Each structure stands twice: as C-alpha cells, then as structure tokens.
Amino acid sequence: MAAIEKDFKRSVVYQIYIKSFCDSDGDGIGDLPGITSKLDYLAHLGVDYLWITPFFPSPQADGGYDISDYCAIDPVYGTMDDFDELVREAHARDLGVMLDMVLCHTSSKHAWFQRALAGDERYRRYYILRDGRGSTGAGDPGEPPTNWQCAFGGSAWEWEPRLGKWYLHMHDVSQPDLDWTNPEVRAACADVVRFWRERGVDGFRFDVVSLISKPEVFEDTPDGSCRSLVADGPHVHEYLRELVAASGIDGMLTVGEMAATTLENCILYTTPERHELTQTFSFHHLKVDYADGDKWKLMEPDIARLREILRSWQEGMQAGGGWNALFWDNHDQPRAITRFGGREGAGERGGSWERVGRMLATCSFTLQGTPYIFQGDELGMTNAGYPSIDCFADVESTNNYRILMEGGATAEEALHVVNERSRDNGRTPMQWTSGPHAGFTTGTPWLAVPENHVFVNAEAEVGVAGSLFEFYRELVRLRHELPVLAEGAVRFLDAGTQAPKVIAFERTLGDARLVTVCSFDSEPSRATGLDVDGARYLLGSYDDAPVPGADGALELRPYEAAVFLS
C-alpha cells in the first residue's frame, strides 16, 4: 500500500493508546478493529496521522513497551489482517498510520534474549552484559557493575545466572537493553522498521531513542541516575542516520522520544540535511511541577520556568533549523488539564476544566512545531482520582507507591502522590459515552473508567457548539489553513510585571502576524506590550475577546487564552 505523504509542518498527529481506545470484542482491552471502527470520528476531528502505541506480542510488564516479537500482532489486539484493514481504511480517509518502535530494549521473553539465556554467543552479544564488581569468578555475582537506577525504581542491573553476567535494563527488569554497538543489532532493528514500512505504514515514533548509544565507559553517578549520562550518547546520531537509510524511511514523518536530551542534540536530530528524524519530543516543560526535580514530590507548576523552557526550545530549535513535536499529554503523563489547574466543573461550560483545556490547546497549536493530540485531550479527559492503589496497573506507579511508603509516607499521602503522577492517568479508557464503562467496552475494562465520564465524553461533545471537541476541530482547521502557523517564525513576548503567569508569543510570516497570549493564572492578570490593537480576534478560552485597557493592555480572566491575527 502506498504511503500517505503530508507536509509535517501543516499536520496534526493523534496518539492512540491502543489498550484503552476502543474494545471491539468485549474482552475489556482495546484492539485494532476498535480503532478502525472510530476512523470516521478521527477524520471528523480533522487530524492527519494516527500514532498507535505498540500492539506487538508482549508480556505487558510495561504496557506493551516490552516487546517479545516485533513483526507480529498480539492476539489480544487482533490479527495481521485486522492491521491491513486498518491501514486501508485509514488511507481511504486520508489518514496516515504511525507505529511505535521500541528499539532501545526488548522483552526478556523475546527470542533474542531467550537464545542468549540458552547460551547462544551470537545473541549474548545482542545485550549489554557485564561482570559484577568484586566478583571472585564464575558464578559469583558480586555487586552491580554501577550504581545506576532504572526508570521504575531499583537497580538498572539484574544478575542472571544463566548468563553468568549482569544485564542492563534502564527500564523494567523484564526489558534488557539492546547493545547498539553490535552491527547485527542495528541491522535487525532496520529490518523491523522496513517490515512495517512495506505494509503501508506512513511514519514512526521511536521510543526513548536518545538512550540507544551508551557511554564508552560505565561509571557511577553521584545519585545513581544514569539517564543524563546515557542520553544523546557518543554514536546516537550515527546510529539514527544508519537506521533511516537502511530501513528506507528518509522523508517520512518520524519523531523521537528524547529522554534527558539537550536542545543542541535535538537540533541535530531534526535538521533536515542530516537525515535523522523530522521532529523530537522533549520533556523538560512537563517537569515544572517536580519539587527538587523529583517526579514523586509535588509542587504547583512553576510558570516562569515553563515560559523560559518553551522560549528557549522554540527560539533555539528555530535558530538551529530543528523542529519540535508539541504536546502536553501522552501515555506516560498525568492529564495536563488536571496538573495545570482544571480541577473544577468537569464537562461544564465556564469552569476551570474548560478554561484550562482550551488554554493548553491554544498554546500548543499556535507554537512552532507539529501538534500532537493524545486520545481524550479533545474531550477534556482528566486524572482518574482512584480511591485505592489496587486500582492502578502501572508498574512505575505501584513501585513508587511502595517506595513512598518505605520512606515514611502514610497510605493516604502515598496514594495522593500516585494519583497526581501516575501514568495510568493517561491510560484510562477513552470516554465515548455516558453509559457503562464509557462505551469503551461491553465487558470489564482492564483499567477503571473515571467517574466523570458521565459528563466528559464524545457523545456529549461531537457536533455540540462550544464544546471542547469542536474547539479542537477549529484549531486543527486553523493549523491547516493559516500559513503563518505552519511556516511562521516564532518570538516570545514580554507580557509585563502584572502578568507573572502569562506566556505570550508571536508568529510572523511576510505581512501576517499572529499573537497568542495564554494565562496559566487562576486569578485575573494584566498583559501589556503585546501590540494587538486593530488585530482580529480568532479564538480563545472564552467566547469573547479579552477586554482591552485604555493603554492597550489586555485584561485577562483566569486561565484565559486569546489568539489575534493581523
């Protein structure tokens, strides 16, 4: 099947977490036919590409990101015929299909690792194996080779007697890291990407791809955190160029998830003439509510820091010729509406839920880069607010609940933190209707549906004037139709001392000038120096434009966003 080709600068990508999108057979787990059944909904929203999270065979230790076979379909999600039908039907609606490639690590159940365990030297070289510190010889593990901690808590090293070595796993213990210094590994990964490209796939998202090239020397770090040491490693750009060329995907929409990356490297990843990726996800802007940089320590979002991160990445990528992927939510994040203040009036017009939802969407869609919608963003889905730790499925969440309790937190305190931070907040079933299980399944959902689905759902919003869904449709339309949004230069603006939680910027192209102002403040504020006199109000988080002051200032209401075009 011929690939869909679109200008990624004018495109909008919709992320589908397949396990939670739509269940077609009543087993409580979303599947490929479920996605196909909702293609008209997605086409109506107006998006260009569908990024689908992994549906490959997997033990599901990490939500499908622990893959045991890269070139097959897990039966719980359907068949290869189901996949082919999905691609055909998506293409018939001018929707491109993107797949999630997890090439930093495999599942420990993958045939490669199983062959390594069986003693096959060829496949032992597929993984990163080390002797322990202080080992006295064969059979004695000693201590882990370094003090590195994995992403989900605990050591990043696991002793495996059948290997007689420690193996590195930067994520779950069941996810051994691949050794990309081995040319056979790189060739095998290119074969995987090529396999799916030849089945009609139109683009790829590469999971934690900034971590594939490990440092030349493995050494302890002061706090055991190894991501900053491993990220953007010595050969990562070389490996990516080789992967793109060998798999034949140069020119396709490709996005890399860049853990602990730098601006300078993301410019290199996405500069077109380097033939690596078209765009990158970076996460610094989603850490502005981490106290002391710790995800599991809560604080109110630092909007001044958020503004500076957005400014430096927007203007920096522009100066270097790079390109950003724009997002607030994904399957690894709590819901942005909740974390940035939209905790009241879910499903109702006029409350903080709606204002924050519109404001965040406005900000994302008018920055320079390619906007991504995570399933449910367009409906205003929120954090789940589960009553018990038993409701959670995510390994990171349950591990950190235990760690918090061991550190002295009460059960109530630990549950509150997990409810705020859990990845399960982004993985709750898609809210299609107000009926049982939000219309996601006729069976029992694998993860509990938030109670507010009776107010926040597609049935209540599609085609309803003023709904959040229709607001997203309008943003997608503007992204397609306004050249200044696709091609325009970006420059951040100073909104003055009376607007400490306001983020403002302009996009310019030729004679066109678009100004966006977004207040992250729960209180009124006053933005000055934006020079929007005479400009046309396009849209915002309220139904009318902000009131102009006598001196040209904008009197902004709580969580107000406004876009002006001249």
Side-chain angles (χ1 to χ4, degrees), residues 48-370:
D48 300 281
Y49 289 90
L50 313 178
W51 154 26
I52 306 172
T53 56
F55 46 74
F56 317 110
S58 166
Q60 295 292 323
D62 184 24
Y65 283 81
D66 50 319
I67 295 170
S68 57
D69 186 343
Y70 286 112
C71 297
I73 310 288
D74 194 311
V76 75
Y77 297 127
T79 66
M80 194 64 79
D81 286 343
D82 292 329
F83 175 78
D84 291 341
E85 180 184 12
L86 169 59
V87 173
R88 282 194 301 271
E89 292 297 324
H91 285 186
R93 294 163 175 80
D94 198 31
L95 295 169
V97 175
M98 296 174 61
L99 296 194
D100 216 323
M101 293 286 101
V102 188
L103 304 178
C104 179
H105 47 254
T106 70
S107 166
S108 58
K109 300 300 184 183
H110 195 288
W112 298 344
F113 196 71
Q114 291 298 305
R115 290 174 184 173
L117 292 178
D120 189 324
E121 283 298 323
R122 175 185 177 188
Y123 288 98
R124 285 169 62 94
R125 292 192 294 272
Y126 270 48
Y127 296 93
I128 298 172
L129 310 180
R130 294 289 188 274
D131 292 322
R133 288 193 287 198
S135 171
T136 58
D140 176 15
E143 297 297 321
T146 67
N147 69 340
W148 295 356
Q149 300 292 294
C150 78
F152 302 149
S155 175
W157 295 96
E158 179 73 3
W159 170 255
E160 176 46 71
R162 287 168 290 181
L163 297 170
K165 301 279 186 179
W166 295 79
Y167 69 83
L168 178 68
H169 61 93
M170 295 193 66
H171 294 80
D172 187 63
V173 67
S174 68
Q175 295 168 295
D177 280 48
L178 288 164
D179 186 354
W180 275 66
T181 64
N182 182 346
E184 276 197 47
V185 168
R186 303 199 299 273
C189 289
D191 288 343
V192 169
V193 176
R194 189 183 312 108
F195 173 87
W196 292 106
R197 176 182 61 79
E198 291 174 352
R199 292 203 82 92
V201 171
D202 308 288
F204 295 91
R205 180 260 192 188
F206 294 101
D207 186 68
V208 290
V209 73
S210 58
L211 305 181
I212 59 175
S213 176
K214 307 305 192 276
E216 304 288 356
V217 177
F218 287 17
E219 56 189 3
D220 285 352
T221 61
D223 60 358
S225 173
C226 58
R227 282 202 167 195
S228 59
L229 185 66
V230 174
D232 306 322
H235 301 288
V236 65
H237 297 286
E238 168 193 335
Y239 293 161
L240 273 174
R241 286 192 296 273
E242 180 181 323
L243 176 68
V244 166
S247 60
I249 62 171
D250 196 18
M252 299 177 74
L253 195 159
T254 53
V255 59
E257 180 193 31
M258 299 299 170
T261 191
T262 65
L263 171 61
E264 292 74 19
N265 274 289
C266 284
I267 290 171
L268 296 177
Y269 289 127
T270 60
T271 302
E273 55 267 25
R274 292 178 60 85
H275 303 283
E276 296 182 28
L277 302 169
T278 59
Q279 53 205 253
T280 53
F281 289 118
S282 60
F283 294 87
H284 305 283
H285 67 298
L286 292 179
K287 299 178 181 179
V288 297
D289 54 357
Y290 291 10
D292 302 321
D294 185 341
K295 173 178 178 176
W296 302 96
K297 292 182 180 178
L298 306 181
M299 61 176 275
E300 288 298 308
D302 183 340
I303 304 305
R305 184 174 169 224
L306 175 63
R307 182 193 305 111
E308 177 54 27
I309 290 169
L310 292 179
R311 184 202 64 77
S312 62
W313 278 80
Q314 283 281 298
E315 296 181 357
M317 288 286 269
Q318 173 179 256
W323 196 255
N324 286 294
L326 308 169
F327 71 106
W328 295 108
D329 283 326
N330 65 29
H331 63 285
D332 282 335
Q333 298 292 330
R335 289 286 181 173
I337 281 184
T338 301
R339 70 194 294 186
F340 285 102
R343 297 174 182 270
E344 299 174 358
E348 299 176 4
R349 293 295 315 274
S352 66
W353 167 83
E354 181 195 36
R355 302 301 184 212
V356 172
R358 286 186 171 212
M359 183 267 293
L360 291 171
T362 301
C363 184
S364 180
F365 269 75
T366 54
L367 287 166
Q368 186 186 80
T370 299

